[in-house]
Amino acid sequence: MKHFLSTALGTATGTLIYTGLLSSAQQPEWGRALAVGIVCGLGSLAWSRKKKTA
């Protein structure tokens, strides 16, 4: 669970920073940040489980 939270929060924060500061719209996209955070968090969970069983 620790891997999920740290990865999800990190990627969601990075996405908010990118969409808020660097994109052409210059406003944070909360929906995109949430989706990216969840997908990356689930990926980190699957990856850590795969490493433990190998």
Side-chain angles (χ1 to χ4, degrees), residues 15-50:
T15 303
L16 284 173
I17 290 171
Y18 171 76
T19 58
L21 299 177
L22 301 175
S23 71
S24 60
Q26 296 267 325
Q27 54 181 229
E29 294 183 30
W30 294 95
R32 179 184 288 182
L34 180 65
V36 168
I38 290 173
V39 168
C40 290
L42 290 175
S44 74
L45 273 180
W47 190 314
S48 68
R49 286 184 184 167
K50 185 176 181 182

